[in-house]
């Protein structure tokens, strides 16, 4: 445990400069955009005179120099203040905290689905490398990996929502259903079945293929030969010796895919009209709301860092070799 | 020649090569068979597929030829995929080589930048970049490359770090070659092949990212893409699902073709190496 905590501290400290690069980089990128939130606001109210524009700019601090505003932004950020969204007329932190849970449910469930199903199918494929089952699963998962997730979402909704009417077509829960507790949770779960499948099935292939190749590798190791020489049964060798050793790299993959899946959920949320983080990003783009977009990108970077820290700890707990050098130092 | 035969000898390689050849053919024939703008109206709206011989795959909501759109879209997808991947590979290998050769503070700084690009979801980055600069084909290509160059950069750096300790690099130094000469004549050519192996995956991801961007309406509005065809078909998903389904199948075949081709190529190369 001490080892894991030491590792955690190191990683957390080393990610601070990286996060700073993300913040400054995003700020400067969006600074280069033509037009600001005041322009977008004026467009929506049908224009205004120069005095109004100047006073609006001054009230949002948009009349100051880039460097001054970057400094202001960083000091505010140190107090967990991401600024004010002109599009929504609300603090950005509130908006993000309101939308984030929906995306976390979507992402977490999809990751869990692809990880569990992918590793199980990977065990099936890797139990006998080169067999017909193995080939079928490898090709099938590759085909699935080639499918655009938003298209899979559309097809699933045509089949299961429009034709069969099994699942709701959009949203995160029934609007004004008055449901509470377990009923509400079930309602949300029903809404999430299709989006989670659309996102999770795409990434399944990654875990399947990694598990499979890890197992194929493990079969060639001495301990596999030793287990066979001991006369252990095949299922026992596959589960206890082969699969167990092949599982570790998949944990790393989980962390690597977190960023990619967060990006993927932007499109899926648009397909299923889920009021999540990704839709917020789209709304920020549509409203030319640069502070909101910066806030979203910074939050997602923090999220990815946190997921990777979690993965590192899990890894250190699972594999005693990891972090041993850091603990000894 | 024998490499090609071995590539076509694996089932993956054969299928992948056939799919990619058909796509290139479709892209090349599109301006010949459908010289008119694929975004122009050619008939009544929502003609179902396989009913009108002059419009084999029917028309969309605005009466545009679906087959013409699909064929012109093939060119867009391939061009964006290959251009974005090329851009990412070049930028990534240059940064990675520089970091690996320079070492010290330069290496540290460059790798922190790589880290920063890696923790931002590349799709969000592309979204932000396109929204800042306005949607056009070069912008979309750059936006996709921005999220894809970190993989090649990391790999190139790792390769350079291992190569620069080899004897032939030491020999070149003893011979009096200048550092830049060593970098470009000894290190880079040997570091590149493993990095090139990433290119097919990056092409595939780029094709999918481009489709997702244009699905969200962030593609170049004057160019027909499969992603935008899916998005437009979405409005009539209940009555004419084929409008969204056909370009989706085209996308899937393209990406699958790239994956299969690269697997076949890796197989063929591995077998050549094991025989040598």
């Amino acid at each position: 445990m001490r080892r894991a905590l030491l590792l955690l501290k190191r990683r957390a400290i080393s990610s601070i400069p990286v996060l700073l690069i993300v913040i400054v980089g995003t700020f400067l990128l969006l600074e280069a955009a033509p037009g600001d939130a005041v322009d977008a606001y004026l467009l929506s109210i049908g224009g205004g005179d120069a005095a109004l524009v100047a006073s609006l700019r001054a009230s949002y601090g948009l009349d100051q120099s880039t460097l001054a505003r970057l400094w202001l932004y960083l000091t505010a950020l140190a107090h967990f203040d991401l600024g004010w969204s002109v599009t929504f007329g609300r603090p950005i932190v509130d908006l993000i905290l309101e939308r984030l849970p929906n995306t976390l449910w979507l992402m977490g469930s999809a990751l869990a689905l692809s990880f569990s199903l992918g590793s199980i199918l990977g065990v099936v494929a890797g139990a006998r490398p080169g067999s017909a089952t193995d080939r079928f699963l490898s090709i099938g998962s590759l085909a699935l990996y080639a499918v655009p997730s938003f298209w899979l979402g559309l097809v699933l909704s045509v089949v299961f929502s429009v034709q069969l009417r099994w699942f709701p077509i959009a949203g995160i829960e029934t609007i004004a259903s008055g449901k509470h507790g377990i009923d509400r949770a079930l309602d949300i779960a029903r809404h999430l079945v299709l989006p989670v499948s659309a996102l999770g099935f795409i990434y399944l292939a990654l875990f399947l293929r990694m598990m499979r190749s890890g197992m194929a590798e493990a079969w060639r190791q001495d301990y596999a030969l030793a287990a066979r020489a001991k006369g252990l049964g095949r299922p026992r060798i596959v589960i206890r010796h082969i699969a167990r050793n092949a599982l570790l790299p998949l944990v790393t993959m989980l962390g690597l895919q977190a960023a990619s899946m967060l990006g993927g959920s932007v499109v899926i949320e648009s397909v299923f009209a889920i009021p999540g983080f990704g839709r917020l990003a789209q709304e920020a783009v549509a409203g030319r709301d640069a502070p909101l977009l910066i806030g979203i990108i910074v939050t997602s970077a923090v999220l990815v860092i946190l997921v990777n820290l979690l993965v590192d700890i899990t890894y250190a707990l699972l594999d005693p070799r990891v972090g041993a050098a850091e603990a000894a130092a | 020649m024998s490499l090609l035969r071995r590539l076509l000898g694996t089932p993956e390689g054969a299928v992948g090569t056939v799919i990619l050849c058909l796509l290139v053919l479709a892209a090349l024939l599109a301006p010949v068979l459908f010289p008119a703008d694929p975004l122009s109206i050619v008939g009544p709206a929502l003609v179902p597929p396989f009913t009108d011989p002059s419009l084999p795959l029917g028309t969309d909501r605005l009466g545009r030829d679906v087959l013409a759109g699909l064929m012109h879209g093939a060119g867009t997808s391939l061009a964006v995929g290959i251009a974005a991947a090329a851009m990412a590979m070049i930028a990534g290998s240059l940064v990675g080589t520089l970091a690996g050769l320079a070492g010290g503070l330069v290496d540290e700084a460059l790798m922190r930048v790589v880290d920063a690009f890696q923790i931002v979801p590349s799709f969000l980055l592309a979204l932000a970049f396109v929204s800042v600069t306005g949607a056009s084909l070069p912008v979309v290509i750059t936006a996709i490359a921005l999220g894809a160059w970190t993989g090649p950069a990391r790999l190139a750096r790792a390769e350079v770090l291992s190569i620069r300790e080899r004897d032939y690099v030491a020999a070149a130094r003893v011979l009096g070659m200048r550092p830049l000469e060593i970098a470009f004549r000894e290190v880079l050519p040997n570091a590149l092949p493993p990095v090139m192996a990433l290119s097919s995956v990056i092409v595939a991801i780029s094709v999918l990212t481009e489709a997702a961007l244009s699905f969200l309406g962030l593609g170049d509005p004057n160019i027909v893409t499969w992603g935008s065809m899916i998005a437009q078909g979405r409005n009539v998903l209940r009555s004419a699902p084929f409008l969204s389904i056909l370009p989706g199948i085209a996308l899937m075949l393209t990406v699958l073709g790239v994956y299969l081709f690269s697997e076949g190529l890796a197989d063929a190369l591995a077998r050549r190496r094991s025989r040598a």
Side-chain angles (χ1 to χ4, degrees), chain A residues 27 42 70 104 151 190 194 225 291:
Chain A
F27 191 90
L42 285 175
L70 177 60
L104 287 181
W151 181 76
R190 251 171 56 84
L194 292 184
L225 190 66

Side-chain angles (χ1 to χ4, degrees), chain A residues 243-253 314-315 318-319 321:
Chain A
R244 220 173 143 180
N245 280 296
L247 198 62
L248 262 180
L250 266 75
V251 178
T252 316
M253 194 64 158
T314 317
Y315 210 100
L318 286 176
D319 189 339
R321 289 166 299 186

Side-chain angles (χ1 to χ4, degrees), chain A residues 258-325:
Chain A
S260 158
M261 224 174 211
L262 200 55
S265 67
V266 176
V267 201
I268 289 293
E269 281 171 19
S270 150
V271 171
F272 289 98
I274 294 173
F277 200 59
R279 264 194 84 69
L280 194 62
Q282 253 190 293
E283 284 157 354
V285 168
R288 292 217 160 278
D289 199 338
L292 181 56
L293 202 51
I294 302 175
I296 288 168
I297 290 180
V298 170
T299 313
S300 63
V302 172
L303 210 61
V304 172
I305 291 177
L306 287 179
V307 171
N308 278 299
L309 284 178
L310 217 64
V311 165
D312 281 341
I313 297 177
T314 317
Y315 210 100
L317 292 179
L318 286 176
D319 189 339
R321 289 166 299 186
V322 175

Side-chain angles (χ1 to χ4, degrees), chain B:
Chain B
M1 205 58 230
S2 65
L3 181 66
L4 184 66
R5 196 171 307 137
R6 235 172 285 142
L7 170 67
L8 295 176
T10 60
E12 287 96 346
V15 176
T17 311
V18 168
I19 292 177
L20 289 187
C21 286
L22 285 177
L23 272 171
V24 172
L25 204 65
L28 290 178
L29 283 180
V32 181
L33 294 176
F34 304 97
D37 184 359
L39 291 173
S40 60
I41 293 167
V42 294
L46 294 175
V47 174
F50 312 121
T51 51
D52 186 341
S54 65
L55 298 164
L57 292 179
T59 59
D60 70 357
R61 205 162 54 100
L62 296 174
R64 296 175 294 199
D65 191 344
V66 172
L67 182 61
L70 281 179
M71 287 182 67
H72 279 274
T76 317
S77 271
L78 285 178
V80 171
I82 292 169
M87 204 166 168
M89 301 296 296
I90 293 171
S93 350
L94 282 180
V95 172
T97 308
L98 186 64
L101 282 176
L105 219 61
V106 177
D107 180 29
E108 186 69 19
L110 284 176
M111 289 329 278
R112 289 296 84 78
V113 173
V114 169
D115 284 344
F117 271 91
Q118 256 174 344
I119 57 168
V120 174
S122 47
F123 192 72
L124 271 182
L125 185 63
L127 204 73
F129 188 76
V130 173
S131 79
V132 166
T133 32
S136 70
L137 214 50
V139 167
V140 170
I141 291 170
T142 315
I144 296 170
L146 271 181
W149 66 278
T150 52
R154 269 184 192 287
L155 196 59
R157 175 177 174 270
E159 285 296 316
V160 167
L161 282 183
S162 94
I163 286 172
R164 68 173 200 178
E165 303 303 326
R166 304 268 169 89
D167 289 342
Y168 58 82
V169 176
R173 211 171 290 140
V174 172
L175 280 174
M177 275 171 90
R178 278 184 299 269
L180 265 181
E181 218 177 335
I182 297 179
F184 282 100
R185 287 186 48 191
E186 302 292 332
V187 178
L188 199 59
N190 288 301
L192 275 187
V195 181
M196 290 304 289
L198 281 178
S199 56
S200 59
V201 178
I202 296 183
V203 170
I205 291 176
S206 303
V207 169
L208 287 177
T209 311
E210 186 276 328
L213 279 175
S214 47
F215 176 73
L216 292 183
L218 288 165
D220 191 329
N222 302 314
I223 294 175
V224 62
T225 66
W226 291 337
S228 61
M229 288 175 78
I230 296 176
Q232 282 154 12
R234 200 182 158 190
N235 297 314
V236 284
L237 200 56
R238 282 161 198 261
S239 50
F242 70 92
L243 283 178
S244 286
I245 288 176
L246 286 178
I249 291 175
L251 263 172
M252 182 184 142
L253 279 178
T254 307
V255 177
L256 188 62
V258 173
Y259 280 138
L260 288 175
F261 177 80
S262 76
E263 290 224 330
L265 194 63
D267 267 10
L269 285 173
R271 251 180 297 160
R272 184 170 69 174
R273 216 167 292 142
S274 70
R275 272 213 330 213

Side-chain angles (χ1 to χ4, degrees), chain A residues 13-28:
Chain A
I13 290 172
S14 71
S15 56
I16 290 172
V18 178
L19 196 58
L20 213 60
I21 297 177
V22 170
I23 296 168
V24 175
T26 325
F27 191 90
L28 294 179

